[in-house]
Amino acid sequence: MRLGTEGYSPAVLSKAARQASKSASFAEASDDLQELADVEISATHLQRISERIGQEWAEARDQDVEKFRQSKLERSYKEAPRGAAAVMLDGGRLQTRADDRGRGVSEASWRESKVACCLTLQTKAVGVDPHPEPPAKFLEPTTAARLASEVKRRSQPSSGRNDKPKDASQASQRKKQRKKMKKRSPRERQRKQNRTRVRTVVATMENSEIFGWQVAAEIHRRGLDQAKRKACVCDGQAYNWSIYEMHLLPLGFVAVLDFVHLLAYLYDAAHAFHGGDAARGWKTYVQWLRLAWSGKVTSLLLQLRAAAADLAQRGSVAADRKGTIDETLTYVTNNRQRMDYSEYRRLGLPVSSAPVESTIKQINRRVKGTEKFWLTEGAEAMLQLRAAQLSQDDRWLRYSSRLRPHRRAAGTHRLAQAA
């Protein structure tokens, strides 16, 4: 029956680990298994099982990375991807506590998890820009303000993100707006669904150097480096572009700055330029947005510099507003080589890192919460289970089918390493 150290069959273990990584908590997963599968496993035991399996999968991942570094990792996909490929990098947040302190929370702190989405896309290169006009949602005042606010909120320290009370009327208005924007025609929905072929996910608590090697190994395993059209889409975070320059640039990936993050900078800068005049601020935002969308970075920089010079002449009374424009000017200057959006769209490459941000939300649903405090090893283990579950290839089956590195559940020393 291939009973492992926990006394469960591989099929039951797979269901237990899957539910533990999918539910909001171990207690909820325990209730779900009891109700849906008639399997009784306590929340505490589910935690032990998921941590043990997740750590085994992390070790298997690290072995693959080491094989890649030695040029010995085999490709799972023998043929080059059809269409385009994209790698998107970003970071999530979760709370950790000190190791080796027993029960209770000691030295609680927010830490960043690093996440990558590796995608194959069903797109084609065309002769001209297929979407010369910005999306309607970027030109709708309420939606643009919400997008800018969300990007700004995500960039703030995690400890303060949930401190601000929500206004019920504003929340209701945003919900109605999102519902309105989601009403697409059947053709639009089908085009959206068909765009992505396969998504796989890499997630870790390790530093950016180790994360970079993990991403590079996944790119090699899937053969994304063999795609004729390929992009790396990120926000302006420095370590994302360090990973790109070390691992993806040599493979021919095109660097693309996430457009929504740029939108947030332009929105804040335009309204800072005109102070309390919302109408003029909106008009300037639309003008700058159109320049950015069409890839006219030189013209955009000229207008940003002119706005900064104008506020500089007003002295200290406009110092804060000028600081906002200076920040945007620096952001655009540092990323100007990654803003040829018209050409990226012509090549069928994405200009938004929305897929990885959506993936992080799905991961955060499991690991992030005001009352969730992880040990580092436990967080790393859960990230492996969650990444495998969100990957649209055979990773879950491939990992769960591996021989486990412990003896079977018989006799003494049940957790001894297998011979």
Side-chain angles (χ1 to χ4, degrees), residues 117-138:
C117 272
C118 300
L119 309 168
T120 48
L121 305 172
Q122 189 171 324
T123 63
K124 297 180 179 179
V126 293
V128 296
D129 182 0
H131 302 290
E133 283 295 309
K137 62 182 179 180
F138 293 167

Side-chain angles (χ1 to χ4, degrees), residues 210-221:
I210 295 175
F211 176 56
W213 284 106
Q214 294 172 1
V215 173
E218 179 68 5
I219 291 171
H220 175 83
R221 185 186 72 82

Side-chain angles (χ1 to χ4, degrees), residues 1-10 13 404 406-410 414:
M1 294 181 64
R2 294 177 60 197
L3 295 179
T5 58
E6 297 84 4
Y8 300 108
S9 68
L13 278 178
R404 300 186 63 203
H406 297 102
R407 292 184 183 138
R408 295 185 180 181
R414 292 170 60 177

